[in-house]
Amino acid sequence: MVGSAIVRRLRKNNHENLVFAERKDLDLREQDSVREFLSATKPDLVIIAAAKVGGILANRDAPGDFILENLLIQTNLIAESFRAGIERLLFLGSSCIYPKFAKQPISEDELLTGMLEPTNESYAVAKIAGLKLCAALSQQYGVDYRSVMPTNLYGPGDNFDAEKSHVIPGLIRRFHDAVQQGDDNVVVWGSGNPRREFLYVDDMADASFHVLQTEKDSFDSAAGINRFVNVGSGVDHSIRELADLIAKTTGFDGKITWDTSKPDGTPRKLLDVSRLESLEWSHSTGLEEGLSRTYSWYTQEMPTSVQANSN
Ligand code: GFB
């Protein structure tokens, strides 16, 4: 989802000289394959949008896969870029790097100040290692490896699996199916009380592009020693509010039942985006508009075979 959005954004600026690898063509978990790919394509700049991602249940149930695959993907790309003499790199992390009870809104200085949320500790540890690796290589060897920490992302190209996905695609899928099948009840996980900040994926791509365009001195003075900035909208919503908005977007007017046997996860995750604002970037797509665009994509462009099989 994010990689495709970044490619769209780069093409909008007439950057046609792009090389990218899709999962079927290059296994980023294989160090030799990554080395061969970089040596054959010789990029000036590497953007790491690839990761093993999933929603709260996928993370909770497969901690081994989440830590192992993410460490392999990012370490192979960062280490092999460094070995190949590539001076510039952008690593995409996640707002789950912060402590479960971080002070809200969460500033970059909250990193490593407390215990992580247990449901996504493996993923978070991998992402922390990735940003630290970029920062340490930059500090020691003078390369320019930057990181961005996005809040919860959504949009076209997302994974709409009913169980393993994040909350927005999971609920779009379930509410849409209920409307199609004439069901008057949809089950939503948890208590409805957790609060999350959501960012439309094309805004994330725009922010990534903006961070890459920023002069090194300006980036360094905003991002500090760990060389990363938060990317978010600065606005959060309860899951209850989100479920109501998705019901409205999909035309569902039945009942919502809360399954409190499912985990809530972090109580609140709202990023402090003042560092990015100091670099003169802010988001442009509000949640209602982003949901409506995502739902249009889901109903019009996502192949029906995938819609039918993605559970
Ligand atoms: O999107 P989600 O899985 O992300 O869940 P996290 C957000 C909240 O929505 C949780 C609730 O409180 C869920 O219990 N929720 C309600 C649902 N219904 C659903 C549903 O049908 N599907 C899902 N997925 N949630 C993930 C991390 O945490 O966020 C990842 O596990 C990553 O590692 C990602 O960082 C951005 O914010 O809880």
Side-chain angles (χ1 to χ4, degrees), residues 141-155:
Y141 297 104
V143 290
D144 185 0
Y145 290 3
R146 307 179 183 186
S147 301
V148 278
M149 293 305 128
T151 192
N152 291 29
L153 302 173
Y154 70 99

Side-chain angles (χ1 to χ4, degrees), residues 56 59 94 96 123 152 165-167 174 189 196 263-264 269:
I56 192 164
N59 272 269
S94 163
C96 70
Y123 182 72
N152 291 29
S165 66
H166 290 105
V167 62
R174 292 216 293 281
W189 302 347
R196 293 289 184 274
D264 269 349
K269 218 170 9 171

